[in-house]
Amino acid sequence: MQEKGFLYCTENCQVREMSIAIRQDTKGNPYEFRIEMINWMADYLVTLSALVGDPSLINTAVEMLDEAVRIANEMTVKTLLEFQRDLLRARLSKDEESFNNLRNSYNQSLRASKDANRWERLATIASRYAIASLASWHVVDFCRAFAECLNSAFKDRSTARILPKSTLKALVESLLHRNWRRTVPFDADYSSLKL
């Protein structure tokens, strides 16, 4: 009998075992495939939540990220997952306590990425935090995150495009979602679209 779950999505056990055994990315950095799969599923739920207007899906994504934090081994991965989880929580509640938790997890993730010289991860985290800070009118936090994006670009030139790309993605997603919501029939029910 085949087990259910994201790690058992293939009939080929060798492929599953080989994918779980991957421990490094193409640049030699630590990589945990299982954690990456949980993260992708959480991203899917966040997108689905935006489409169907069901915030409970974000709570499910937060729970998945909690599980990923629990089983992650590498510190930059663990702190990144905590940051992503707190980013979702701040999106849900939009209160000062949630933003303070986001700020703390951002600082921890930033520190872990700097210690490991993971400039691409640092730029990604800083760009997401900059966007969240600006959206919630925390201008000083935005400026600090923007400065971190610039700092990572000086350390690794390939990271210079991450902030503009993240900003463009956030704007396009917002516009697409707004337009999609305007065209959805009033009585449309997407509640059955679950993972």
Side-chain angles (χ1 to χ4, degrees):
M1 181 174 152
Q2 184 178 359
E3 295 180 59
K4 294 183 180 178
F6 69 91
L7 290 178
Y8 306 100
C9 60
T10 179
E11 295 288 327
N12 189 330
C13 292
Q14 287 178 322
V15 172
R16 183 181 69 228
E17 289 169 10
M18 287 172 55
S19 63
I20 293 171
I22 296 172
R23 296 287 179 223
Q24 288 186 338
D25 66 12
T26 56
K27 295 181 180 179
N29 296 316
Y31 182 81
E32 298 179 61
F33 180 80
R34 182 175 181 202
I35 303 302
E36 207 53 49
M37 288 299 295
I38 295 172
N39 195 17
W40 291 336
M41 289 172 59
D43 283 346
Y44 170 79
L45 288 174
V46 170
T47 302
L48 184 59
S49 172
L51 289 175
V52 301
D54 184 357
S56 70
L57 295 172
I58 293 182
N59 290 328
T60 304
V62 167
E63 291 171 9
M64 292 174 83
L65 291 173
D66 278 335
E67 173 66 12
V69 166
R70 189 185 66 72
I71 62 176
N73 293 318
E74 205 266 320
M75 186 53 80
T76 62
V77 172
K78 191 178 282 284
T79 57
L80 172 65
L81 293 167
E82 289 171 343
F83 169 74
Q84 288 177 282
R85 179 198 60 205
D86 290 341
L87 188 59
L88 292 178
R89 286 179 177 160
R91 183 188 294 181
L92 274 178
S93 65
K94 299 183 190 230
D95 61 11
E96 203 57 36
E97 181 183 349
S98 295
F99 192 82
N100 286 335
N101 290 336
L102 175 61
R103 181 183 293 128
N104 291 335
S105 63
Y106 164 72
N107 288 327
Q108 290 174 351
S109 187
L110 199 69
R111 204 169 314 116
S113 296
K114 281 183 180 180
D115 290 346
N117 293 327
R118 302 285 304 269
W119 304 114
E120 183 177 352
R121 179 159 289 166
L122 186 145
T124 301
I125 294 163
S127 66
R128 290 178 185 169
Y129 186 68
I131 293 166
S133 298
L134 196 57
S136 59
W137 298 101
H138 289 88
V139 179
V140 173
D141 288 281
F142 165 77
C143 292
R144 288 181 181 152
F146 184 79
E148 289 296 344
C149 288
L150 292 177
N151 181 40
S152 69
F154 285 122
K155 300 286 185 179
D156 179 356
R157 290 181 55 205
S158 69
T159 65
R161 65 181 179 271
I162 291 176
L163 179 61
K165 188 177 176 181
S166 297
T167 303
L168 181 62
K169 181 181 176 190
L171 288 172
V172 168
E173 284 177 356
S174 175
L175 289 172
L176 288 174
H177 177 66
R178 188 175 302 134
N179 287 335
W180 181 81
R181 295 301 285 172
R182 282 188 319 156
T183 62
V184 171
F186 179 72
D187 59 347
D189 180 18
Y190 297 105
S191 61
S192 64
L193 296 175
K194 302 246 179 187
L195 187 61

